[in-house]
Amino acid sequence: MNRFKLLLLSICFFHFSFPKDHSFHSDYGLEWCYFVGHIKAESGNLYGYELSFFRLKFSDGKDWNPEVFPVHFAISDLKQKRHETSQTIKRSLGDLAGYQTNKIYSGEYEFQILSKDQFLIKANPKSKTIALELLLNGNGNILSHGKDGISIKSKRNPNIFSYYYSYPRLVTTGSLWFQGKKETILSGESWMDHEWSEKSSKSIPTLATGESGWDWICLMDNHGGDYVFFRFRASKNSAPEIFGTYRDPKGKVTYWKEGVEIQMDPVGEFWKSNKTKIVYPLHWKIKYPGGEWEVEPIFNEQEFDGSDSTQTIYWEGAVLAKDPNQKKSAKGYLELKGYQKSKDWWEF
């Protein structure tokens, strides 16, 4: 029996259980749960936001070392094209950070799990001008990636995988502060992504290595369809591998593979950050069965410099997309990781 079949046998009995699986998982080494969204204030202003909770711990094969909990937080003013960020990293020691069945927290950031389909997220960084408190209500339609939520990232190396689900179209209300001004959020849609991997490892989790990179995008179209496209690179010199998930308005889920099914390519000129000098491909063309997406950022300056927490510098921002064939439009978020030249992110 080959290694791939052995791997599948070892993980095929996993099934999600909610709301339990919304929280962190103590016996895995690498995990993240994050929220992004397009939201509208009572004033008419439009915002995008990112709130990402991370968890990492190492194992010597017998015992786990103390966990660390970075958080990344950003708000984009989509009309004025302004972007502000904040971040932290706390250890589980002294109850500065941690998780329970109904809560994840780190410093001034908190994710409350009110039920399977309702969440409260809070971000109130000290000495910063951005903050938020948002209530997120789901429709019960959680989206798993891969069979039983097992998302294989690489056909070349099936050991690179995660347990992965998304919760699209979370109805969003609450409050937001941007540059010190409070805004009442009346409407909007958020997207939750949750992944965990590496059951037990003496080494750095595979997905966290400084050599790996990916281009990830979530889209919610105006006809009720939900999409995730993922372009993974195991190292800077590796050819990318492309995967996709699509749920149609009636709830049918399709998993796409690269080649004849989907293609995901950068188009046009790349954008160079004035702050970090990193060059990013912000415009994309994605071809899928029956249509294609032309994706572009709402504005370019949505880079996140995580040097004070995870040591990663990446681009994550609000995007718009159009499908000229099917005459559809979509809103979403794009994440570009692996374009920096720096040390590995756990070397804080």
Side-chain angles (χ1 to χ4, degrees):
M1 187 177 292
N2 65 34
R3 186 179 63 175
F4 182 70
K5 289 182 178 179
L6 285 171
L7 171 69
L8 290 180
L9 283 175
S10 70
I11 61 181
C12 66
F13 297 108
F14 184 87
H15 294 280
F16 293 126
S17 176
F18 300 111
K20 179 182 177 181
D21 278 327
H22 288 320
S23 188
F24 280 157
H25 300 77
S26 61
D27 52 350
Y28 288 83
L30 175 68
E31 190 161 11
W32 55 79
C33 181
Y34 61 91
F35 301 85
V36 294
H38 290 243
I39 51 181
K40 184 176 182 179
E42 186 177 34
S43 64
N45 290 333
L46 302 175
Y47 295 94
Y49 79 92
E50 169 203 355
L51 182 58
S52 303
F53 296 86
F54 301 93
R55 175 183 152 274
L56 175 71
K57 63 179 179 179
F58 303 100
S59 170
D60 62 6
K62 295 180 180 180
D63 299 309
W64 290 107
N65 291 327
E67 298 163 300
V68 292
F69 299 89
V71 177
H72 289 178
F73 174 42
I75 294 179
S76 298
D77 183 330
L78 301 181
K79 284 189 174 182
Q80 300 298 320
K81 299 182 178 180
R82 294 176 295 183
H83 183 69
E84 291 199 17
T85 68
S86 184
Q87 60 193 292
T88 193
I89 182 168
K90 303 292 185 185
R91 296 185 180 271
S92 55
L93 303 175
D95 200 35
L96 295 175
Y99 53 98
Q100 303 162 8
T101 56
N102 63 348
K103 183 170 66 173
I104 295 169
Y105 60 98
S106 182
E108 300 82 32
Y109 304 88
E110 187 174 301
F111 163 36
Q112 294 183 18
I113 303 163
L114 305 181
S115 72
K116 169 182 173 289
D117 303 306
Q118 188 177 65
F119 316 117
L120 181 67
I121 55 175
K122 298 181 179 181
N124 189 26
K126 295 178 181 178
S127 68
K128 287 289 184 179
T129 60
I130 57 172
L132 62 73
E133 182 171 327
L134 299 176
L135 181 65
L136 311 177
N137 285 285
N139 56 15
N141 296 322
I142 294 173
L143 177 60
S144 296
H145 299 279
K147 181 176 175 56
D148 296 323
I150 299 165
S151 175
I152 305 296
K153 307 302 183 186
S154 172
K155 291 181 293 184
R156 303 180 194 123
N157 183 359
N159 290 310
I160 305 176
F161 75 95
S162 69
Y163 301 101
Y164 179 19
Y165 71 87
S166 300
Y167 206 148
R169 300 184 186 273
L170 295 164
V171 176
T172 305
T173 56
S175 300
L176 173 151
W177 287 258
F178 187 79
Q179 296 188 335
K181 177 184 177 182
K182 182 179 179 180
E183 294 268 36
T184 299
I185 303 303
L186 296 181
S187 63
E189 289 185 315
S190 294
W191 181 292
M192 172 188 179
D193 247 29
H194 192 174
E195 293 191 67
W196 60 96
S197 64
E198 313 294 337
K199 180 76 173 183
S200 179
S201 177
K202 296 181 181 180
S203 61
I204 302 303
T206 309
L207 285 174
T209 61
E211 286 297 310
S212 68
W214 57 74
D215 311 303
W216 170 92
I217 185 168
C218 69
L219 294 173
M220 298 175 284
D221 75 28
N222 60 338
H223 290 181
D226 301 316
Y227 305 76
V228 171
F229 298 99
F230 189 73
R231 189 173 183 259
F232 179 75
R233 301 176 300 280
S235 69
K236 294 183 183 298
N237 297 321
S238 299
E241 299 182 76
I242 305 167
F243 306 90
T245 302
Y246 169 56
R247 183 170 62 192
D248 71 18
K250 295 182 180 180
K252 180 183 177 181
V253 178
T254 303
Y255 302 112
W256 290 324
K257 299 177 183 178
E258 64 181 318
V260 296
E261 293 184 313
I262 57 170
Q263 298 176 41
M264 182 178 177
D265 299 297
V267 294
E269 294 184 358
F270 286 19
W271 174 74
K272 184 176 182 179
S273 167
N274 288 329
K275 294 181 179 179
T276 65
K277 310 306 179 185
I278 298 172
V279 177
Y280 299 97
L282 300 186
H283 297 258
W284 292 83
K285 177 171 284 190
I286 302 169
K287 294 184 179 180
Y288 62 95
E292 65 181 41
W293 288 115
E294 297 173 357
V295 181
E296 61 180 25
I298 294 180
F299 66 100
N300 293 342
E301 292 80 9
Q302 297 182 78
E303 183 183 45
F304 198 106
D305 185 347
S307 297
D308 293 335
S309 55
T310 62
Q311 291 293 335
T312 49
I313 304 174
Y314 59 98
W315 195 96
E316 178 141 9
V319 297
L320 299 176
K322 61 181 180 180
D323 182 334
N325 295 323
Q326 297 192 12
K327 298 181 179 179
K328 295 189 297 188
S329 62
K331 295 179 180 179
Y333 253 71
L334 170 68
E335 179 180 272
L336 306 172
K337 185 259 184 187
Y339 292 87
Q340 73 181 110
K341 295 181 180 179
S342 71
K343 61 184 179 181
D344 291 323
W345 71 262
W346 54 88
E347 296 178 0
F348 34 78

